[in-house]
Coordinates of all heavy atoms in Angstrom, one line a residue:
S246 N -6.1 -1.8 3.4 CA -4.9 -2.4 2.7 C -5.3 -2.7 1.3 O -4.5 -3.3 0.5 CB -4.4 -3.7 3.4 OG -5.4 -4.6 3.4
A247 N -6.5 -2.4 0.9 CA -7.0 -2.8 -0.5 C -6.2 -2.1 -1.6 O -6.2 -2.6 -2.7 CB -8.4 -2.6 -0.6
G248 N -5.6 -0.9 -1.3 CA -4.8 -0.2 -2.4 C -3.7 -1.1 -2.8 O -3.4 -1.2 -4.0
V249 N -3.0 -1.7 -1.9 CA -1.8 -2.7 -2.3 C -2.4 -3.9 -3.0 O -1.8 -4.4 -4.0 CB -1.0 -3.0 -1.1 CG1 0.1 -4.0 -1.5 CG2 -0.4 -1.8 -0.5
I250 N -3.6 -4.4 -2.5 CA -4.1 -5.6 -3.2 C -4.5 -5.2 -4.6 O -4.3 -6.0 -5.6 CB -5.4 -6.0 -2.4 CG1 -5.0 -6.5 -1.0 CG2 -6.2 -7.1 -3.2 CD1 -6.2 -6.8 -0.1
A251 N -5.0 -4.0 -4.9 CA -5.4 -3.6 -6.2 C -4.2 -3.4 -7.1 O -4.2 -3.8 -8.3 CB -6.2 -2.2 -6.1
V252 N -3.1 -2.9 -6.6 CA -1.8 -2.9 -7.3 C -1.4 -4.3 -7.7 O -0.9 -4.5 -8.8 CB -0.8 -2.1 -6.5 CG1 0.6 -2.3 -7.1 CG2 -1.1 -0.6 -6.4
D253 N -1.5 -5.2 -6.8 CA -1.1 -6.6 -7.0 C -1.9 -7.2 -8.1 O -1.3 -8.0 -9.0 CB -1.1 -7.4 -5.7 CG -0.5 -8.7 -5.8 OD1 0.6 -8.9 -6.5 OD2 -1.0 -9.7 -5.2
L254 N -3.2 -7.0 -8.0 CA -4.0 -7.5 -9.0 C -3.7 -7.0 -10.5 O -3.6 -7.7 -11.4 CB -5.5 -7.3 -8.7 CG -6.6 -7.6 -9.8 CD1 -6.5 -9.1 -10.1 CD2 -8.0 -7.3 -9.3
A255 N -3.5 -5.6 -10.5 CA -3.2 -5.0 -11.7 C -1.8 -5.5 -12.2 O -1.6 -5.8 -13.5 CB -3.0 -3.5 -11.6
K256 N -0.8 -5.8 -11.4 CA 0.4 -6.4 -11.7 C 0.3 -7.7 -12.4 O 0.9 -8.0 -13.4 CB 1.3 -6.4 -10.5 CG 2.7 -7.0 -10.7 CD 3.3 -7.7 -9.5 CE 2.5 -9.0 -9.1 NZ 3.1 -9.7 -8.0
D257 N -0.6 -8.5 -11.8 CA -0.7 -9.9 -12.3 C -1.4 -9.9 -13.6 O -1.1 -10.6 -14.6 CB -1.6 -10.7 -11.4 CG -0.9 -11.1 -10.0 OD1 0.4 -11.0 -10.0 OD2 -1.6 -11.5 -9.1
M258 N -2.4 -8.9 -13.8 CA -3.0 -8.8 -15.1 C -2.0 -8.3 -16.2 O -2.0 -8.7 -17.4 CB -4.1 -7.8 -15.1 CG -5.3 -8.3 -14.1 SD -6.1 -9.8 -14.8 CE -6.7 -9.2 -16.3
L259 N -1.1 -7.4 -15.8 CA -0.1 -6.9 -16.7 C 0.9 -8.0 -17.1 O 1.6 -7.8 -18.2 CB 0.6 -5.7 -16.1 CG -0.3 -4.4 -16.0 CD1 0.5 -3.3 -15.2 CD2 -0.6 -3.9 -17.4
Q260 N 1.1 -9.0 -16.3 CA 1.9 -10.1 -16.7 C 1.3 -11.0 -17.8 O 2.0 -11.6 -18.6 CB 2.2 -11.1 -15.5 CG 2.9 -10.4 -14.3 CD 4.3 -9.8 -14.7 OE1 5.0 -10.5 -15.4 NE2 4.4 -8.6 -14.4
V261 N 0.0 -10.9 -17.9 CA -0.7 -11.7 -18.9 C -1.0 -11.0 -20.2 O -0.9 -11.5 -21.3 CB -2.2 -12.2 -18.3 CG1 -2.9 -13.0 -19.4 CG2 -1.9 -13.0 -17.1
H262 N -1.4 -9.7 -20.1 CA -1.7 -8.8 -21.2 C -0.6 -7.9 -21.6 O -0.2 -7.1 -20.8 CB -3.0 -8.0 -20.9 CG -4.2 -8.9 -20.5 ND1 -5.0 -9.5 -21.5 CD2 -4.6 -9.2 -19.4 CE1 -5.9 -10.2 -20.9 NE2 -5.7 -10.1 -19.6
R263 N 0.0 -8.1 -22.7 CA 1.2 -7.5 -23.2 C 0.8 -6.0 -23.7 O -0.3 -5.8 -24.1 CB 1.9 -8.2 -24.4 CG 2.4 -9.5 -24.0 CD 3.0 -10.2 -25.2 NE 3.7 -11.5 -24.9 CZ 4.9 -11.6 -24.5 NH1 5.7 -10.5 -24.4 NH2 5.5 -12.8 -24.2
N264 N 1.8 -5.1 -23.6 CA 1.7 -3.9 -24.2 C 0.5 -3.1 -23.8 O -0.3 -2.6 -24.7 CB 1.9 -3.9 -25.7 CG 2.3 -2.7 -26.3 OD1 3.2 -2.0 -25.8 ND2 1.8 -2.4 -27.5
T265 N 0.2 -2.9 -22.6 CA -1.0 -2.3 -22.2 C -0.8 -1.5 -20.9 O 0.3 -1.6 -20.3 CB -2.2 -3.3 -21.9 OG1 -3.4 -2.6 -21.8 CG2 -1.9 -4.2 -20.7
C266 N -1.8 -0.7 -20.5 CA -1.8 0.1 -19.3 C -2.9 -0.3 -18.3 O -4.0 -0.8 -18.8 CB -2.0 1.6 -19.6 SG -0.6 2.3 -20.6
A267 N -2.7 -0.1 -17.1 CA -3.7 -0.4 -16.1 C -3.9 0.8 -15.2 O -2.9 1.6 -14.8 CB -3.2 -1.6 -15.2
V268 N -5.1 1.1 -14.8 CA -5.4 2.2 -13.9 C -6.0 1.6 -12.6 O -6.9 0.8 -12.6 CB -6.5 3.2 -14.5 CG1 -7.0 4.1 -13.4 CG2 -5.8 4.1 -15.6
V269 N -5.4 2.0 -11.5 CA -5.8 1.6 -10.1 C -6.5 2.8 -9.5 O -5.8 3.8 -9.3 CB -4.8 1.0 -9.3 CG1 -5.2 0.7 -7.9 CG2 -4.2 -0.3 -9.9
V270 N -7.7 2.7 -9.0 CA -8.3 3.7 -8.3 C -8.7 3.2 -6.9 O -9.4 2.3 -6.7 CB -9.7 4.2 -8.9 CG1 -10.4 5.3 -8.1 CG2 -9.4 4.7 -10.4
S271 N -8.1 4.0 -5.9 CA -8.3 3.6 -4.5 C -9.0 4.7 -3.7 O -8.6 5.9 -3.7 CB -6.9 3.3 -3.8 OG -6.3 2.2 -4.4
T272 N -10.1 4.4 -3.1 CA -10.9 5.4 -2.4 C -11.7 4.7 -1.3 O -11.7 3.5 -1.1 CB -11.8 6.1 -3.4 OG1 -12.5 7.2 -2.7 CG2 -12.9 5.2 -3.9
E273 N -12.4 5.6 -0.5 CA -13.4 5.1 0.5 C -14.5 6.1 0.5 O -14.3 7.2 0.1 CB -12.7 5.0 1.9 CG -13.6 4.3 2.9 CD -14.1 3.0 2.4 OE1 -13.4 1.9 2.5 OE2 -15.2 2.9 1.9
N274 N -15.6 5.7 0.9 CA -16.8 6.5 0.9 C -17.4 6.6 2.3 O -17.7 5.7 3.0 CB -17.9 5.9 0.0 CG -19.0 6.9 -0.4 OD1 -19.9 7.1 0.4 ND2 -18.9 7.5 -1.6
I275 N -17.5 7.9 2.7 CA -17.9 8.1 4.1 C -19.4 8.4 4.3 O -20.1 8.1 5.3 CB -17.1 9.4 4.7 CG1 -15.7 9.0 4.7 CG2 -17.6 9.7 6.1 CD1 -14.8 10.2 5.1
T276 N -20.0 8.9 3.2 CA -21.4 9.5 3.3 C -22.4 8.5 4.0 O -23.1 8.9 4.9 CB -21.9 9.8 1.9 OG1 -21.1 10.9 1.4 CG2 -23.4 10.4 2.0
Q277 N -22.5 7.3 3.5 CA -23.4 6.4 4.1 C -22.9 5.4 5.2 O -23.5 4.5 5.7 CB -24.0 5.4 3.0 CG -25.0 6.1 2.1 CD -25.8 5.2 1.3 OE1 -25.2 4.4 0.5 NE2 -27.1 5.2 1.2
N278 N -21.7 5.8 5.6 CA -21.0 4.9 6.6 C -20.6 5.7 7.9 O -19.8 5.3 8.7 CB -19.8 4.3 6.0 CG -20.1 3.3 4.8 OD1 -20.8 2.3 5.1 ND2 -19.8 3.7 3.6
W279 N -21.3 6.8 8.1 CA -21.1 7.6 9.4 C -22.0 6.8 10.4 O -23.1 6.5 10.2 CB -21.5 9.0 9.2 CG -21.0 10.0 10.2 CD1 -21.5 10.3 11.4 CD2 -19.8 10.7 10.0 NE1 -20.7 11.3 12.0 CE2 -19.6 11.5 11.2 CE3 -18.8 10.8 9.0 CZ2 -18.5 12.4 11.4 CZ3 -17.7 11.7 9.3 CH2 -17.6 12.4 10.4
Y280 N -21.4 6.7 11.6 CA -22.1 6.0 12.6 C -22.9 7.0 13.6 O -22.2 7.9 14.1 CB -21.1 5.2 13.5 CG -21.8 4.5 14.7 CD1 -22.8 3.5 14.5 CD2 -21.3 4.7 16.0 CE1 -23.3 2.9 15.7 CE2 -21.9 4.2 17.1 CZ -22.9 3.2 16.9 OH -23.4 2.6 18.0
F281 N -24.1 6.8 13.7 CA -25.0 7.7 14.6 C -25.5 7.0 15.9 O -26.6 7.3 16.2 CB -26.2 8.2 13.7 CG -25.8 9.0 12.5 CD1 -25.7 8.5 11.2 CD2 -25.5 10.5 12.7 CE1 -25.3 9.3 10.2 CE2 -25.1 11.2 11.7 CZ -25.0 10.6 10.4
G282 N -24.6 6.3 16.5 CA -25.0 5.6 17.7 C -24.1 6.0 18.8 O -23.2 6.8 18.7
N283 N -24.2 5.3 20.0 CA -23.4 5.6 21.2 C -22.5 4.5 21.6 O -22.0 4.5 22.7 CB -24.4 6.0 22.3 CG -25.0 7.3 22.0 OD1 -24.4 8.3 22.0 ND2 -26.3 7.2 21.8
K284 N -22.2 3.4 20.8 CA -21.3 2.4 21.1 C -19.9 2.9 20.8 O -19.5 3.2 19.8 CB -21.6 1.1 20.3 CG -20.8 -0.1 20.8 CD -21.3 -1.3 20.0 CE -20.5 -2.6 20.4 NZ -20.9 -3.8 19.7
K285 N -19.1 2.9 21.9 CA -17.8 3.5 21.9 C -16.9 2.9 20.8 O -16.2 3.6 20.1 CB -17.1 3.4 23.2 CG -17.9 4.1 24.4 CD -18.0 5.5 24.2 CE -18.5 6.3 25.4 NZ -19.9 5.8 25.8
S286 N -16.9 1.6 20.7 CA -16.0 0.9 19.7 C -16.3 1.3 18.2 O -15.6 0.9 17.3 CB -16.0 -0.5 20.0 OG -17.3 -1.1 19.7
M287 N -17.6 1.8 18.1 CA -18.0 2.2 16.7 C -17.8 3.7 16.4 O -18.0 4.1 15.2 CB -19.4 1.7 16.4 CG -19.7 0.3 16.5 SD -21.4 -0.1 16.1 CE -21.4 -1.9 16.0
L288 N -17.5 4.4 17.4 CA -17.4 6.0 17.2 C -16.0 6.3 16.6 O -16.0 7.5 16.0 CB -17.6 6.6 18.5 CG -19.1 6.7 18.9 CD1 -19.2 7.2 20.4 CD2 -19.8 7.6 18.0
I289 N -15.0 5.5 16.7 CA -13.7 6.0 16.4 C -13.6 6.3 14.9 O -13.0 7.3 14.5 CB -12.6 5.0 16.8 CG1 -12.6 4.8 18.3 CG2 -11.3 5.3 16.3 CD1 -11.8 3.7 18.9
P290 N -14.1 5.5 13.9 CA -14.1 5.8 12.5 C -14.6 7.3 12.2 O -14.0 7.9 11.3 CB -14.9 4.8 11.9 CG -14.8 3.6 12.7 CD -14.8 4.2 14.1
N291 N -15.6 7.7 12.9 CA -16.1 9.0 12.6 C -15.0 10.1 12.9 O -15.0 11.1 12.2 CB -17.3 9.4 13.6 CG -18.5 8.6 13.3 OD1 -18.5 7.7 12.5 ND2 -19.7 8.9 13.9
C292 N -14.2 9.9 13.8 CA -13.2 10.9 14.3 C -11.9 10.8 13.3 O -11.2 11.7 13.2 CB -12.7 10.6 15.7 SG -14.0 10.6 17.0
L293 N -11.7 9.6 12.7 CA -10.4 9.4 12.0 C -10.6 9.5 10.4 O -9.8 10.1 9.8 CB -9.8 8.1 12.3 CG -9.4 7.8 13.8 CD1 -8.8 6.5 13.8 CD2 -8.4 8.9 14.2
F294 N -11.7 9.0 9.9 CA -11.8 8.9 8.5 C -12.3 10.2 7.8 O -13.1 11.0 8.3 CB -12.8 7.8 8.1 CG -12.2 6.4 8.2 CD1 -12.4 5.7 9.3 CD2 -11.5 5.9 7.1 CE1 -11.8 4.4 9.4 CE2 -10.9 4.7 7.2 CZ -11.1 4.0 8.4
R295 N -11.6 10.5 6.7 CA -11.8 11.7 6.0 C -11.9 11.5 4.4 O -11.4 10.4 4.0 CB -10.8 12.7 6.3 CG -10.8 13.2 7.7 CD -12.0 14.0 8.1 NE -12.0 14.4 9.5 CZ -12.6 13.8 10.5 NH1 -13.2 12.7 10.3 NH2 -12.5 14.4 11.7
V296 N -12.3 12.4 3.7 CA -12.5 12.3 2.2 C -11.1 12.3 1.6 O -10.2 13.0 1.9 CB -13.3 13.4 1.6 CG1 -13.3 13.4 0.1 CG2 -14.7 13.4 2.2
G297 N -11.0 11.3 0.6 CA -9.7 11.2 -0.1 C -9.8 10.1 -1.2 O -10.6 9.1 -1.0
G298 N -8.8 10.0 -2.0 CA -8.8 9.0 -3.1 C -7.6 9.2 -4.0 O -7.0 10.3 -4.0
A299 N -7.2 8.2 -4.7 CA -6.0 8.3 -5.5 C -6.2 7.4 -6.8 O -6.9 6.4 -6.8 CB -4.7 7.8 -4.9
A300 N -5.7 7.9 -7.9 CA -5.7 7.1 -9.2 C -4.2 6.9 -9.7 O -3.4 7.9 -9.6 CB -6.5 7.9 -10.2
V301 N -3.9 5.7 -10.0 CA -2.5 5.3 -10.3 C -2.4 4.8 -11.7 O -3.3 3.8 -12.1 CB -2.0 4.3 -9.3 CG1 -0.5 3.9 -9.6 CG2 -2.2 4.8 -7.9
L302 N -1.5 5.1 -12.5 CA -1.4 4.6 -13.9 C -0.1 3.7 -13.9 O 1.0 4.1 -13.7 CB -1.2 5.7 -14.9 CG -0.9 5.3 -16.4 CD1 -2.1 4.5 -16.9 CD2 -0.6 6.5 -17.3
L303 N -0.4 2.5 -14.2 CA 0.7 1.4 -14.4 C 0.8 0.9 -15.8 O -0.2 1.0 -16.6 CB 0.4 0.2 -13.4 CG 0.2 0.5 -12.0 CD1 -0.3 -0.9 -11.3 CD2 1.4 1.0 -11.3
S304 N 2.0 0.5 -16.2 CA 2.2 0.1 -17.6 C 3.3 -1.0 -17.7 O 4.2 -1.0 -16.8 CB 2.7 1.3 -18.4 OG 3.0 0.9 -19.8
N305 N 3.1 -1.9 -18.6 CA 4.2 -2.9 -18.8 C 4.9 -2.6 -20.2 O 5.7 -3.4 -20.6 CB 3.6 -4.3 -18.8 CG 2.6 -4.5 -19.9 OD1 2.3 -3.7 -20.8 ND2 1.8 -5.6 -19.8
K306 N 4.7 -1.4 -20.8 CA 5.2 -1.0 -22.0 C 6.7 -0.6 -21.8 O 7.0 0.3 -20.9 CB 4.5 0.1 -22.7 CG 3.1 -0.2 -23.0 CD 2.3 1.0 -23.6 CE 0.9 0.7 -23.9 NZ 0.2 1.9 -24.5
S307 N 7.7 -1.1 -22.5 CA 9.1 -0.8 -22.3 C 9.2 0.7 -22.7 O 10.1 1.4 -22.1 CB 9.9 -1.7 -23.1 OG 9.6 -1.6 -24.6
S308 N 8.4 1.3 -23.6 CA 8.5 2.6 -24.0 C 8.1 3.6 -22.9 O 8.6 4.8 -22.9 CB 7.7 2.9 -25.3 OG 6.3 2.6 -25.0
D309 N 7.4 3.1 -21.9 CA 6.9 4.0 -20.8 C 8.0 4.0 -19.8 O 7.8 4.9 -18.8 CB 5.6 3.4 -20.2 CG 4.4 3.9 -21.0 OD1 4.5 4.9 -21.7 OD2 3.4 3.1 -21.0
R310 N 9.1 3.2 -19.8 CA 10.0 3.3 -18.7 C 10.7 4.7 -18.7 O 11.1 5.2 -17.7 CB 11.2 2.3 -19.0 CG 12.1 2.1 -17.8 CD 13.2 1.0 -18.1 NE 13.9 0.6 -16.9 CZ 14.8 1.4 -16.3 NH1 15.2 2.6 -16.7 NH2 15.4 0.9 -15.1
R311 N 10.8 5.4 -19.8 CA 11.6 6.6 -19.8 C 10.9 7.7 -19.1 O 11.4 8.6 -18.6 CB 11.8 7.0 -21.3 CG 12.7 6.1 -22.1 CD 13.1 6.8 -23.4 NE 12.0 7.0 -24.2 CZ 11.4 6.0 -25.1 NH1 12.1 4.9 -25.2 NH2 10.4 6.3 -25.8
R312 N 9.5 7.6 -19.1 CA 8.8 8.7 -18.4 C 8.2 8.2 -17.1 O 7.6 9.1 -16.4 CB 7.6 9.2 -19.3 CG 6.5 8.1 -19.6 CD 5.4 8.7 -20.4 NE 4.3 7.9 -20.7 CZ 3.1 8.2 -20.7 NH1 2.7 9.5 -20.5 NH2 2.1 7.3 -21.0

Side-chain angles (χ1 to χ4, degrees):
S246 65
V249 178
I250 296 173
V252 168
D253 190 36
L254 175 58
K256 178 204 71 175
D257 290 342
M258 294 298 295
L259 288 171
Q260 298 302 311
V261 177
H262 301 278
R263 295 176 176 271
N264 201 37
T265 191
C266 293
V268 166
V269 172
V270 179
S271 296
T272 187
E273 192 50 85
N274 195 282
I275 299 174
T276 297
Q277 284 194 307
N278 295 291
W279 202 269
Y280 176 61
F281 293 98
N283 291 292
K284 188 174 180 179
K285 302 297 190 298
S286 62
M287 292 183 174
L288 282 169
I289 296 172
N291 289 8
C292 302
L293 298 180
F294 281 95
R295 297 295 184 262
V296 174
V301 184
L302 177 63
L303 303 174
S304 174
N305 59 12
K306 301 178 182 179
S307 56
S308 59
D309 280 333
R310 190 185 194 282
R311 294 190 300 273
R312 65 172 183 149

